[in-house]
Amino acid sequence: FEAENRGNRMKARRVFAFWLLATFSASMGALTVVYFFGNWIVWIVLSENYRAGSIELMAWIALAYGINGLTQVIESRLLSLHASAQLIFPIAFGGAANLIFSIVLIQWMGTVGAAQATCASFAVQAIVTALVLVYRLRKTKA
């Protein structure tokens, strides 16, 4: 925000790129922990009745919130460009995608389908938000 407000677009781009990379790395780290230590985590925090299928569920949830974290970084970049009104469309699109994916996937996959629906809708929202950011950046250059 500070770099953008001072007109230092190069620094704003560098901070944004670093923030995206750091968020992506943290998300991949969380997925890696679930992959390698999922059995141990499940054994510690869940009773035996809830352990079946929980690692797959944790992986989908970790992926979904990794995508959500990246979306928040993109949204923050839009906010730094004073484009808060442009966030309405991606949020509405993501919500509609969540409803549609949930209706379809929960019937087929149960709770894992719910996690997959959330992940897919977060991905849709991320893509739409990124497209809005690209449009806004091109518009500010013109």
Side-chain angles (χ1 to χ4, degrees):
F1 285 95
E2 180 183 335
E4 192 63 48
N5 286 333
R6 291 182 184 206
N8 191 343
R9 298 230 179 225
M10 182 64 93
K11 183 177 180 182
R13 282 193 296 268
R14 276 195 322 266
V15 169
F16 176 64
F18 176 77
W19 195 2
L20 274 176
L21 180 63
T23 302
F24 177 78
S25 298
S27 299
M28 290 300 102
L31 272 173
T32 302
V33 166
V34 169
Y35 181 79
F36 286 109
F37 300 105
N39 286 323
W40 183 75
I41 294 167
V42 165
W43 182 77
I44 295 282
V45 300
L46 296 177
S47 72
E48 192 172 332
N49 295 340
Y50 296 100
R51 291 180 188 156
S54 59
I55 296 172
E56 182 181 8
L57 190 62
M58 288 188 322
W60 281 108
I61 292 168
L63 180 59
Y65 281 93
I67 294 168
N68 189 48
L70 292 170
T71 303
Q72 289 178 357
V73 173
I74 298 167
E75 288 172 348
S76 293
R77 183 68 174 116
L78 277 165
L79 291 172
S80 77
L81 297 168
H82 309 288
S84 59
Q86 293 181 343
L87 291 174
I88 293 170
F89 180 69
I91 291 169
F93 207 87
N98 194 316
L99 181 63
I100 293 165
F101 286 129
S102 293
I103 289 169
V104 173
L105 292 173
I106 291 173
Q107 290 180 16
W108 288 344
M109 304 291 292
T111 53
V112 171
Q116 290 171 336
T118 299
C119 187
S121 66
F122 282 0
V124 167
Q125 183 175 342
I127 291 166
V128 174
T129 306
L131 291 172
V132 168
L133 176 61
V134 168
Y135 172 78
R136 178 65 183 205
L137 288 170
R138 286 183 180 165
K139 186 177 173 183
T140 57
K141 286 183 182 179

